Amino acid sequence: MSKEKETNINPTENTHDCNDVKVSIYDLIEEGIMDSNLPAEEKTSKLSRLMVLKNKPVNALLVGPTGSGKSSTICAAFGRNVAKVGVGVDPTTEYIECYHLDNLILWDSPGLGEGLDDRRYKLELINKMNSLDQDGQPLIDLVILVADAASKDLGTSYELINTILKPCLGEEAEQRIIVALNRSDIAMSGRHWDVERNEPDEVLLAFLENKVESVSQRILETTGLHLMPIYYSAGYVEGDDEVRHPYNLTKLIYMILSRLPSGKRLAIYDQLDTSNSEHWCYNDDNLDYQEQTRQSFLEALSEFVSEGAARGAEIGENLLGVPGKLLGTVLGTFFSGAVFSIKALFGKI
Ligand SMILES: Nc1nc2c(ncn2[C@@H]2O[C@H](COP(=O)(O)OP(=O)(O)OP(=O)(O)O)[C@@H](O)[C@H]2O)c(=O)[nH]1
Ligand SMILES: [Mg+2]
């Protein structure tokens, strides 16, 4: 019998501040289609394609050693009350828990490493990894392996990749695993974290860059997979006070989006916790992740508008040239959680 617990998050509970007036992107697209001056049969065809998109869930599984911050990562990105974060010394997540955020389905797993229950956890994980969806496709789209950036011994994580993830994912392992080194702020026991700027100073930055390289090398040696980890911090909250804001969270979301087929990205868009812009603004400056994230959604929308026919250069040059510009403006408000209109996409500006 399955030991999973199912947690259905009521969408109204998952919205925070009252000025967070974000409306479902699917509803906006539907409205855009209905109000457009497209011929009736094109409207019908777009609406039915929209239904298909809407019913395509994204399943993301978080795995990793106990206490590495899997549940905290879910809360930072998708809302403070979504998952249960540890406060004591014992492992917090005991069974694979499932959080339904509309069509974003997050599987939060117990940490591997310390417990006598490791064998049971591993079997549960293998079962989950081998599950199929209703179309007979692998259920899990993406595995986010959360490890502790401070840990000197990531043996449990390498073993997890080798014994469970790689065999289950086969050739797609590199595409569908993201290695995320969390708790960057305390990677050097709390030293060298610039609290004011909420970012690592030069010493910690060099440490983290080094860590990424060495973990990537060890993964290659032990598993044969090319995986480049990212470092970030889910931050933490004590009581009702935000104690530390996340760092590189937008980068993590961008990585997640870039691993998903475009048709599945909108599910993520709808659930991002945009009630607190400070969750998203502290990132390394290697790339403009907010802009990249916008582009990623933009591409998904443009593909939708063009009936999925456009790819690559075509999207860049033709489609994004017109609606892209408009969308760029409306999605500019993305992280402040404002409502935007996408009617322009459908021929009615
Ligand atoms: N300083 C700091 N603390 C963090 C960060 N992420 C998580 N924590 C803390 O680390 C502890 C463990 O976090 P959880 O999210 O419960 O970890 P988990 O991986 O879900 O743990 P299990 O469910 O036991 O496997 C909590 O006290 C968090 O507040 C971070 O980025 N920085
Ligand atoms: Mg947990």
Side-chain angles (χ1 to χ4, degrees):
M1 205 176 69
S2 167
K3 298 242 177 68
E4 286 155 14
K5 286 184 199 164
E6 295 256 337
T7 310
N8 278 297
I9 307 292
N10 177 343
T12 54
E13 280 174 14
N14 194 30
T15 51
H16 299 275
D17 294 345
C18 47
N19 59 355
D20 176 8
V21 278
K22 204 166 124 191
V23 171
S24 159
I25 195 149
Y26 301 107
D27 291 345
L28 287 172
I29 296 177
E30 185 175 333
E31 204 182 294
I33 296 170
M34 295 306 290
D35 289 355
S36 72
N37 46 19
L38 291 172
E41 62 194 65
E42 230 179 289
K43 277 188 187 174
T44 314
S45 119
K46 284 201 191 302
L47 286 174
S48 66
R49 265 174 32 82
L50 184 63
M51 281 311 291
V52 174
L53 273 195
K54 217 173 164 175
N55 291 322
K56 250 191 205 169
V58 171
N59 282 270
L61 170 66
L62 284 95
V63 294
T66 187
S68 58
K70 300 175 290 296
S71 304
S72 302
T73 301
I74 290 178
C75 291
F78 303 109
R80 199 187 266 192
N81 300 319
V82 174
K84 190 170 166 224
V85 169
V87 281
V89 288
D90 292 326
T92 306
T93 309
E94 287 185 66
Y95 298 99
I96 295 186
E97 301 206 28
C98 175
Y99 304 109
H100 281 262
L101 306 169
D102 293 332
N103 60 346
L104 171 62
I105 302 167
L106 299 167
W107 302 90
D108 187 10
S109 69
L112 284 165
E114 285 181 8
L116 292 171
D117 272 348
D118 258 19
R119 229 177 90 79
R120 168 175 67 81
Y121 297 161
K122 282 183 185 166
L123 285 175
E124 274 189 56
L125 272 184
I126 292 171
N127 268 344
K128 191 48 59 200
M129 291 297 302
N130 287 329
S131 302
L132 299 177
D133 66 14
Q134 56 200 24
D135 300 325
Q137 297 301 314
L139 177 79
I140 301 300
D141 293 291
L142 209 58
V143 180
I144 303 163
L145 168 53
V146 181
D148 191 336
S151 174
K152 289 202 170 68
D153 178 14
L154 292 175
T156 313
S157 301
Y158 304 137
E159 191 196 330
L160 192 68
I161 299 177
N162 233 355
T163 58
I164 301 180
L165 304 183
K166 191 179 163 191
C168 292
L169 293 171
E171 285 184 356
E172 298 202 347
E174 286 178 358
Q175 172 68 19
R176 287 170 47 203
I177 300 172
I178 291 177
V179 179
L181 302 176
N182 186 28
R183 309 195 349 147
S184 293
D185 55 322
I186 48 172
M188 293 180 82
S189 310
R191 293 194 300 274
H192 298 291
W193 182 258
D194 186 332
V195 175
E196 292 271 291
R197 300 168 65 99
N198 200 50
E199 63 182 28
D201 73 5
E202 276 178 19
V203 178
L204 181 54
L205 196 63
F207 174 93
L208 292 166
E209 297 285 352
N210 228 329
K211 186 91 189 176
V212 159
E213 284 298 328
S214 74
V215 171
S216 163
Q217 193 55 37
R218 278 296 305 282
I219 293 176
L220 185 61
E221 284 161 14
T222 42
T223 71
L225 295 177
H226 290 90
L227 293 170
M228 187 53 87
I230 73 156
Y231 56 84
Y232 74 109
S233 169
Y236 61 89
V237 178
E238 267 175 29
D240 283 339
D241 299 323
E242 189 82 49
V243 175
R244 181 150 299 167
H245 296 298
Y247 171 77
N248 267 354
L249 189 61
T250 315
K251 181 175 184 173
L252 179 64
I253 293 296
Y254 169 60
M255 277 199 81
I256 292 173
L257 292 174
S258 60
R259 302 298 184 86
L260 289 173
S262 65
K264 291 201 170 199
R265 289 181 206 153
L266 300 180
I268 304 272
Y269 173 90
D270 253 2
Q271 301 307 329
L272 293 173
D273 179 5
T274 53
S275 66
N276 189 344
S277 61
E278 285 198 281
H279 275 211
W280 306 101
C281 62
Y282 302 103
N283 294 282
D284 65 41
D285 292 328
N286 297 345
L287 256 184
D288 183 344
Y289 301 109
Q290 295 208 4
E291 179 54 27
Q292 294 298 319
T293 304
R294 265 202 304 273
Q295 288 294 337
S296 194
F297 287 123
L298 208 60
E299 198 178 295
L301 286 171
S302 296
E303 266 192 60
F304 175 80
V305 173
S306 64
E307 305 280 342
R311 292 274 177 278
E314 205 186 328
I315 291 174
E317 285 160 27
N318 300 336
L319 287 162
L320 295 192
V322 185
K325 199 158 166 251
L326 290 161
L327 262 178
T329 313
V330 283
L331 285 177
T333 50
F334 174 38
F335 286 108
S336 57
V339 175
F340 60 84
S341 160
I342 59 164
K343 291 187 179 102
L345 265 177
F346 301 96
K348 188 177 176 186
I349 303 171

